Amino acid sequence: MSGDSDVQVPKMKVKQVDASLDKPLDADAPPTIYQTKLVPEMASAALNLSIDFLKQQQSLCNYYLIRSPIVIIIDLLFLIIYLGPRLNYPSLRNSGINFNSVTAYLYHLYMMNKFTFLSAGIFTVMLTSFVFTLVSRLSDTFFKTKIEHIVKGNGEIVFGFKLPDIVNIIKKEPKLVENTNIVVYRNTPIALVSISENQILSTPDSLTMTINSIGCRRVYIKSGIIEDLLDWIMIRTKAIGISKNKLDKKMKVLIEIYSFDDAMKNILRKKGYTCISVGKAQENRLLSGLFGVKKELWGVQFHVKHPDFK
């Protein structure tokens, strides 16, 4: 996400931490790392991190689309159409050459059409680039709509309240900001997770929490920071369960991911999550119907007894 697209939360009287994601970390800042709840000065940074996670998913989606069978078939079809009338084939009868093997025949076929194959390679690269541009517009439209929804709502869909109201929220409902955890390294927010109670699925005998957003700067994905955020979710869910007198009750954490996000699937499996259901991505019928993009609901279920909670 480029600096030009960095978002600032409007009407914030509190000075904001630098929200730019394209700048390197401050080398002069102490190399300390810590976690914090959502605070007013990090409102813009938190909003930009949640948007950047969608940008990362868009990149994964583009990679999935360019490797899809449809794109490969289109490339092969046009390549055959291009090569068909241009290839010269070695004569098996009148050439005077004895082809002792298929390899020998293919070698002579190549030697007779070196420049044709070279031009076909260039044609394939250009065709693939063109097809990729077309299919990437599908994902661009899809994720742009999701990002605009977050920005126009001032992050309410992610954080459970409008970020410009954070000061009042801290005074009236301080537990809401505690549902967001931000990892800060060298005075720069680098990762974030935000959860909320699923009011539809939670019952007097159970607690269900939904992960609204989780991720980190791209360079830290393999550092294990996502696993740490998932650990924090378990701790936070247990704390909420205790505050709601739901000890010895069923607790569950849910997250919705896309079928092309293999890295997140692997992390979730390591943390004991399982895939509960798979459905079509209804927001974009082309991505869902034509390219097979699906939404997967993953979850983990557990119980907490008071002596086991620390």
Side-chain angles (χ1 to χ4, degrees), residues 35-76:
Q35 301 181 58
T36 178
K37 62 184 179 183
L38 181 58
V39 292
E41 56 267 29
M42 292 189 182
S44 292
L47 183 61
N48 276 278
L49 280 172
S50 65
I51 292 173
D52 186 61
F53 304 157
L54 289 176
K55 290 284 187 178
Q56 292 179 28
Q57 290 181 350
Q58 182 180 348
S59 297
L60 291 175
C61 184
N62 287 338
Y63 182 65
Y64 168 82
L65 292 177
I66 199 63
R67 295 183 300 121
S68 69
I70 291 178
V71 172
I72 295 174
I73 290 172
I74 290 174
D75 280 351
L76 288 175

Side-chain angles (χ1 to χ4, degrees), residues 58 61-62 64-65 70 133-146 256 258-260 279-295:
Q58 182 180 348
C61 184
N62 287 338
Y64 168 82
L65 292 177
I70 291 178
T133 301
L134 288 180
V135 297
S136 64
R137 287 183 179 178
L138 293 175
S139 65
D140 182 65
T141 301
F142 175 57
F143 284 99
K144 185 177 180 180
T145 301
K146 295 175 71 70
E256 203 171 50
Y258 292 104
S259 55
F260 52 75
K280 293 182 178 180
Q282 299 292 348
E283 304 97 321
N284 192 305
R285 293 184 178 180
L286 279 177
L287 284 179
S288 177
L290 192 59
F291 293 96
V293 174
K294 293 179 174 58
K295 273 189 172 182

Side-chain angles (χ1 to χ4, degrees), residues 10-29:
K11 301 178 182 179
M12 289 296 298
K13 297 180 180 179
V14 180
K15 183 180 179 181
Q16 296 294 288
V17 172
D18 188 359
S20 299
L21 296 174
D22 59 339
K23 296 180 181 179
L25 301 186
D26 184 2
D28 296 327

